[in-house]
Amino acid sequence: MLSANFGKAVWLARVLNVRVALAILAGVVWAAAFPRPGWAGLAWIAPGLMLAAALGGRPSRAFRLGYLSGLAYCLLSLHWLLYNPFPMGALAGWLALSFYLALYPAVWVWFCLRVLPGCPKATQSDADSGTTLCRLGSVVEPIASIAWLDRVLWCIVAAAAWVVLETLRARLFTGFPWNSLGVSQLPLLPLIQLASVTGVYGISFLVVWGSTALLCTGATVMAQIVSPSRPKWAAVSTPAYRGQVEISRPHPFRTSFRLAFFADVGFPLVVVLLLTFAGGARLMRRTPPDREIKVALVQPSIPQRRIFDPQESTNRFETLMSLTRLALAAKPDLVVWPEASLPSFDESHFRILTNAIADHAVWMVFGADDAEPRAGKEEQQKYNYYNSAFLFDPLGRFVATYRKRHLVVFGEYVPLETWFPFMRHLTPIEASITPGTGPVRFEIEDPRAVVSVLICFEDILPHLAREQVDADTDFLLNLTNDAWFGESAAQWQHAANAAFRAVENGLPLVRCTNNGLTCWIDSYGRMRDVGFGAGKDVYASGFRLINAPLLPLGTTRAPTFYRQHGNWFGWCSLVLCLGGAACRRFWL
C-alpha cells in the first residue's frame, strides 16, 4: 500500500513538475504576506521556497524559476490594478508592471545560485530536471554539502542582494518601491523600529536572512533523511564471533536537526530577538506630546468615473462642502481635503470655499490641479499642468502650493507619447502632468506647525519622503486618491507602505484619502483613527477629527539615523554582494 501511494506521488510530481509548482507556491506565499490577507509570517518562508525550487539546477534555469515566482507574486499582490474603471488600461498596466517587476526576483535567485559555494555545473538530465521525488537528494546536496561558515556567509550575501534589488527598484524608471518585503512586517511593531536606522530595507534584510537560514536548516536535515551517511563498522574478535559489526549511532534526523537549527537558524534568530527587544525599549520611551493641532480630515469617497465626468463637478463639490460644514462644527484648527478634490478653480466654487474658510477662521489644505503658462511657448498646449496641494490661511488667502514631484505612469503622464501616440488610448488623462521642482514647507500659525506634503504615491518612496523633512517639521501630510482601485487591497497596501515613512523619519504621518485609510500614523508606525462608523469602514464617506502631535515651541526634532544618512544600508549591501561575487570569482 505504501509503495503504491509513493508511486502515485512520483507520477503526480512528474506531471506537475515539482520545481515549477514550488516556484509558483513561493509567489503565492509571498503575496499572502501583504494586505490583504496580510499574513506577515509567510514572508519568512517565501524567499527560501524560491531558492528551494532552483537548487540543484543550472543558474539559467534558476532565473526562469525565479521569474515564475516573481510573476505569480506580482499578479496576485497587484491584482487591485484590475479595479481601475478603464478596463483596457487596467489590464495592460497590470500585465506590463507584473512582467517587469518579476525580473527582480529572477535576478535574485540567479545571483544566489551563482555565489553559492560549489554551485553545480552538472548537466545530467535527471539531476537538473527535478521532476521526481527520488531526486530530492540532488536538490538539497548543494547546501548540505558546504561548510557551516560558507552557509552563513551565503545567507548574508543573499539577503544583501535582495536589499540591492529593492533599492534599484525604488529608483529605476522613476521607481516603484511598492511592497518592499519588509513592509509585510508592519504588525511586528518592536521589530520595525529598525527602520529608523536602516530604512525599510533593513527589515527586508532580516526576513530574507531568516528565510535562507531556514532553507539551510531544511536542506541539512533532508540530506540526512534522503541520503543518510553510510554505517560505520568496527572489527570484533571474541570467542563466540569474529567479524565486523555496525557501530550504533543516534537517529540522523534528531542529530542533524539540532546541529542545523543552532548552526544556521540560531545566528539570525538571536539578531532578530535582540532587535525586537531594542525596538520594544524604543516604544516604551514614548512620551505624550506637549502640543497638538486639531485636524479635520474629509473623505468624500467619490467613485473615479464621477471624478472624470465634468457634469459631476457640482455634485462632487457639494459632497465635499456638506462634509466640511459638519467638520467645521467641531471647530478644528485645520481642514484637509484629499488629492485632486476640487473639481475646478471656477469663480463660484472658489468663492464658496474661501468664504467658508474665512467664516470659521480655519486653516485649510486641499488638492487640485494647477496650471502655469509656458514661458515663450506658442504651441497648441500653452500651459504646464501640475498635481498640487494648496494652503489657505484663516482669512481665505492663498499662502503656499506644493507641486507633486513623482508622477504615476499612465495615471499622470504617458511615457514616450511623442514616439508612440497610440499609448494615449490606454489612459483617460487628456494631457501629461509636469513634475514639481522640490519640497515646500506649509507653515501654519496658531497653533504654530510646520507641515510637509506628499501627494498620492509619494509616500511609498523612502528617499523622496526623507527629502521633505526638516528639523522643525511637525508631521508629514499625505493627500491621495485611491478611488482609482475601488474597494480593494490597494488602500491597505498603500497605508502599510506609508507607515514606514513615519518610522524612518521619526515623525507622524497624517493621511487624507478620497477613499481608503484616512487616519494618522504615529512615529512608531501605529495606525490610529482608521475607518468610519461602528464597523470601521475604510471605504465609506465621512470626516475624521484627529489630534496630531506637535513639537514643543522653539524646539527641533532629533533626526533618526536613517534621515541623517539616507540609504547607507543599501550601499553596504552592495559591497557585500560584490564581495560575495568576488569570492566566487564571478563579477556582475
Side-chain angles (χ1 to χ4, degrees):
M1 186 67 177
L2 182 61
S3 60
N5 289 335
F6 182 77
K8 292 178 181 178
V10 171
W11 175 83
L12 184 62
R14 286 182 181 273
V15 173
L16 294 180
N17 192 323
V18 171
R19 290 187 184 277
V20 171
L22 194 59
I24 294 175
L25 177 62
V28 173
V29 168
W30 185 5
F34 292 93
R36 301 231 155 172
W39 298 331
L42 294 181
W44 297 80
I45 302 173
L49 282 179
M50 293 167 60
L51 292 175
L55 281 175
R58 302 186 188 96
S60 59
R61 183 181 179 88
F63 182 89
R64 295 193 297 270
L65 290 169
Y67 189 85
L68 186 60
S69 294
L71 187 60
Y73 157 73
C74 292
L75 291 175
L76 287 174
S77 65
L78 300 178
H79 75 281
W80 44 263
L81 286 167
L82 295 175
Y83 285 71
N84 190 303
F86 304 94
M88 181 182 296
L91 181 61
W94 178 59
L95 293 176
L97 189 59
S98 297
F99 279 102
Y100 159 66
L101 293 177
L103 290 170
Y104 291 93
V107 171
W108 179 74
V109 174
W110 170 82
F111 176 84
C112 289
L113 261 68
R114 290 307 301 259
V115 299
L116 178 66
C119 178
K121 296 180 175 59
T123 59
Q124 302 102 322
S125 58
D126 288 343
D128 194 45
S129 65
T131 57
T132 62
L133 296 178
C134 58
R135 296 294 175 183
L136 183 58
S138 66
V139 174
V140 300
E141 187 66 19
I143 289 181
S145 62
I146 63 178
W148 168 78
L149 182 58
D150 288 337
R151 291 201 304 270
V152 171
L153 293 177
W154 178 70
C155 291
I156 293 175
V157 170
W162 189 287
V163 170
V164 171
L165 289 169
E166 281 194 348
T167 302
L168 184 64
R169 180 163 62 93
R171 293 180 178 270
L172 193 61
F173 305 127
T174 75
F176 187 75
W178 188 270
N179 282 359
S180 296
L181 188 62
V183 171
S184 64
Q185 303 307 297
L186 181 61
L188 305 180
L189 281 176
L191 181 62
I192 69 169
Q193 303 310 306
L194 176 64
S196 63
V197 178
T198 64
V200 68
Y201 305 114
I203 314 299
S204 298
F205 181 93
L206 287 179
V207 174
V208 178
W209 186 19
S211 185
T212 50
L214 285 172
L215 172 64
C216 291
T217 298
T220 305
V221 172
M222 292 304 298
Q224 291 293 326
I225 295 175
V226 176
S227 302
S229 58
R230 294 181 179 180
K232 297 181 180 179
W233 300 84
V236 175
S237 178
T238 65
Y241 177 79
R242 184 186 297 266
Q244 288 185 326
V245 297
E246 181 182 354
I247 300 176
S248 62
R249 53 200 170 104
H251 193 281
F253 176 81
R254 295 173 184 170
T255 304
S256 59
F257 179 79
R258 291 169 184 164
L259 292 175
F261 180 82
F262 289 106
D264 295 314
V265 180
F267 190 15
L269 180 61
V270 169
V271 173
V272 169
L273 289 176
L274 289 176
L275 290 173
T276 301
F277 284 125
R282 182 172 186 262
L283 291 173
M284 294 178 65
R285 288 197 299 267
R286 66 184 186 274
T287 57
D290 293 334
R291 300 189 306 126
E292 294 179 331
I293 181 172
K294 190 175 183 180
V295 185
L297 305 174
V298 178
Q299 177 169 302
S301 193
I302 299 171
Q304 191 63 31
R305 283 199 176 275
R306 286 182 57 194
I307 292 177
F308 280 104
D309 186 355
Q311 298 180 356
E312 289 289 333
S313 293
T314 300
N315 293 334
R316 286 175 54 198
F317 185 75
E318 286 301 322
T319 299
L320 283 161
M321 287 305 302
S322 62
L323 291 171
T324 303
R325 293 186 185 100
L326 293 173
L328 289 172
K331 300 186 181 304
D333 301 309
L334 172 66
V335 175
V336 182
W337 284 3
E339 175 194 12
S341 50
L342 196 65
S344 64
F345 256 133
D346 63 53
E347 185 177 354
S348 60
H349 291 168
F350 184 76
R351 186 183 300 111
I352 294 172
L353 179 59
T354 53
N355 286 343
I357 293 172
D359 290 343
H360 293 82
V362 63
W363 290 83
M364 185 166 188
V365 175
F366 62 88
D369 292 337
D370 189 12
E372 182 180 67
R374 289 184 176 181
K377 294 290 184 179
E378 298 296 336
E379 302 166 357
Q380 184 177 5
Q381 185 183 351
K382 299 179 181 179
Y383 293 89
N384 287 326
Y385 295 96
Y386 302 93
N387 185 354
S388 302
F390 299 91
L391 173 66
F392 278 73
D393 69 11
L395 298 178
R397 298 175 302 189
F398 166 75
V399 177
T401 182
Y402 167 72
R403 291 167 173 170
K404 186 180 180 186
R405 301 164 60 193
H406 183 270
L407 304 181
V408 178
V409 62
F410 293 115
E412 293 172 318
Y413 77 98
V414 179
L416 305 177
E417 61 179 323
T418 304
W419 293 306
F420 304 103
F422 70 90
M423 297 179 71
R424 280 190 169 277
H425 300 291
L426 300 177
T427 175
I429 63 174
E430 298 178 358
S432 291
I433 292 176
T434 303
T437 56
V440 177
R441 292 162 55 94
F442 279 12
E443 298 189 20
I444 298 171
E445 301 174 3
D446 193 24
R448 173 70 180 174
V450 177
V451 180
S452 290
V453 178
L454 299 166
I455 298 177
C456 192
F457 288 174
E458 287 185 326
D459 60 352
I460 72 169
L461 296 161
H463 51 280
L464 188 144
R466 173 175 168 263
E467 294 173 3
Q468 303 285 103
V469 179
D470 294 323
D472 59 345
T473 302
D474 288 286
F475 60 88
L476 291 167
L477 175 62
N478 175 235
L479 312 181
T480 187
N481 172 26
D482 289 336
W484 282 91
F485 312 110
E487 297 182 3
S488 66
Q491 288 84 344
W492 294 93
Q493 292 180 14
H494 188 180
N497 281 270
F500 280 85
R501 307 296 83 80
V503 181
E504 288 167 351
N505 295 286
L507 78 170
L509 169 65
V510 178
R511 307 186 76 243
C512 185
T513 71
N514 180 25
N515 85 327
L517 276 72
T518 292
C519 62
W520 73 283
I521 303 168
D522 66 19
S523 58
Y524 302 100
R526 292 188 193 87
M527 293 189 188
R528 299 176 178 269
D529 300 318
V530 177
F532 299 92
K536 298 296 182 182
D537 184 2
V538 301
Y539 308 109
S541 63
F543 69 91
R544 167 69 65 185
L545 292 173
I546 68 167
N547 292 314
L550 302 176
L551 289 169
L553 286 173
T555 64
T556 58
R557 191 183 307 274
T560 62
F561 194 86
Y562 174 81
R563 190 170 77 78
Q564 271 189 310
H565 303 284
N567 190 22
W568 65 273
F569 191 77
W571 289 107
C572 292
S573 297
L574 178 60
V575 172
L576 279 174
C577 289
L578 294 176
C583 290
R584 285 283 291 132
R585 297 180 182 179
F586 175 79
W587 296 94
L588 292 174

